[in-house]
Amino acid sequence: AKMASFSSGIMLSRSEAQRQKGDELRMRAAGIDPTKIDEQWLGEVMSRRQKKEAKVDEDVEKEKRLAAELPMEKSEVVSKKPEGRLTWLHKALVLAAKGRIPVPQIYNIIQSSKFTSGVSSKVGLKMKGLVSANLHLFKKEQQKSLQSGRLMDFSKDGSSGSEEEKKKSKKRKHSDSYSASSHSRHSRSRSRSSSRRSDSRKKKKKRKKEKDKEKEKEKD
């Protein structure tokens, strides 16, 4: 095949030259200068890189702002309604995963008995799911403590650990009450039985005295 030269100065075959020429015509039609294509590509790459860096900066600033706005005082968090505590927990775990807030602070708050106080089974199960999915954020000792803590007591049957404990306590009280009542009945029964035996002995003594008197009268 015959060789032909192209604008770049590289020797090409005629078929390759024709393809390049066709590409050049299409570039010009699209408003692209084929003699400055490398410069244009470089400019496009730089533009994309700058946009990406700007996007990253925006995300970082947003995360910092959310972390600064999120309350981390235990008293403030536990004073929220149960749904508010659930929302707080979700935001806190997301920001902790990105390194924006310290995990130990979250641990100290959610381990408080006040954090689960008044929480329904529905909300409690969601809290339990969030903590279970993010256990890897906590230290091993904290993981063990959380797995045996109040949050893990929530179950689908509509009860929580505190409710279960209340039921058990109620059963114990009922059992103790029944035992005390039974003991009292037995005591009264024994008392009545003892009283009857005492009366019976008194009657026997009385009858014996009466018989002795009659015998003495007969002798006289």
Side-chain angles (χ1 to χ4, degrees):
K2 293 182 180 180
M3 305 300 289
S5 63
F6 194 57
S7 58
S8 62
I10 301 172
M11 297 300 293
L12 302 171
S13 66
R14 185 173 294 280
S15 57
E16 288 175 344
Q18 288 174 344
R19 281 197 297 274
Q20 287 279 29
K21 193 170 184 179
D23 291 340
E24 185 178 306
L25 291 172
R26 283 191 290 275
M27 288 178 187
R28 291 187 185 280
I32 300 172
D33 187 349
T35 61
K36 298 180 179 179
I37 191 66
D38 291 339
E39 294 177 9
Q40 289 175 344
W41 283 356
L42 179 60
E44 187 176 356
V45 170
M46 289 297 292
S47 176
R48 288 180 180 177
R49 186 177 296 165
Q50 288 171 355
K51 287 180 181 178
K52 187 176 181 181
E53 288 175 354
K55 182 68 167 62
V56 170
D57 290 341
E58 287 177 10
D59 291 342
V60 169
E61 289 303 317
K62 183 180 179 181
E63 289 168 9
K64 287 181 178 179
R65 177 174 54 79
L66 290 173
E69 292 173 353
L70 192 70
M72 294 303 294
E73 286 293 329
K74 185 190 294 184
S75 58
E76 187 174 353
V77 176
V78 299
S79 65
K80 293 177 178 288
K81 292 181 178 180
E83 291 78 7
R85 280 174 251 165
L86 174 62
T87 302
W88 175 89
L89 179 61
H90 180 263
K91 290 179 179 179
L93 290 172
V94 169
L95 290 169
K98 295 179 179 180
R100 298 300 170 193
I101 57 175
V103 175
Q105 276 188 270
I106 299 174
Y107 173 79
N108 290 334
I109 293 171
I110 64 178
Q111 274 295 83
S112 170
S113 59
K114 292 182 179 179
F115 187 76
T116 53
S117 177
V119 173
S120 66
S121 178
K122 183 179 178 181
V123 174
L125 281 171
K126 290 180 180 180
M127 288 180 172
K128 177 181 178 180
L130 284 172
V131 173
S132 297
N134 291 278
L135 271 177
H136 61 280
L137 296 176
F138 301 89
K139 293 179 180 179
K140 287 186 178 180
E141 295 78 9
Q142 294 174 339
Q143 289 178 16
K144 289 179 181 179
S145 182
L146 287 169
Q147 287 173 321
S148 60
R150 296 177 183 84
L151 276 173
M152 297 302 154
D153 288 337
F154 287 99
S155 58
K156 291 181 180 179
D157 63 4
S159 64
S160 67
S162 57
E163 289 172 349
E164 284 295 322
E165 194 58 38
K166 286 178 183 177
K167 288 179 183 178
K168 289 178 183 178
S169 178
K170 192 175 181 180
K171 284 181 180 179
R172 284 196 296 270
K173 286 181 180 178
H174 179 73
S175 177
D176 292 342
S177 176
Y178 176 79
S179 178
S181 177
S182 177
H183 178 72
S184 178
R185 284 198 300 271
H186 285 310
S187 296
R188 288 196 297 271
S189 178
R190 285 197 299 271
S191 179
R192 285 195 297 269
S193 177
S194 177
S195 178
R196 283 195 295 269
R197 285 197 296 271
S198 178
D199 290 343
S200 178
R201 284 195 296 269
K202 286 179 181 179
K203 285 179 181 178
K204 284 181 181 180
K205 285 182 180 180
K206 187 176 181 181
R207 283 197 296 269
K208 187 177 179 182
K209 284 181 180 180
E210 289 175 351
K211 286 181 180 180
D212 290 342
K213 285 181 180 180
E214 288 176 359
K215 285 180 181 180
E216 285 179 2
K217 285 179 180 180
E218 287 175 359
K219 285 180 182 181
D220 293 342

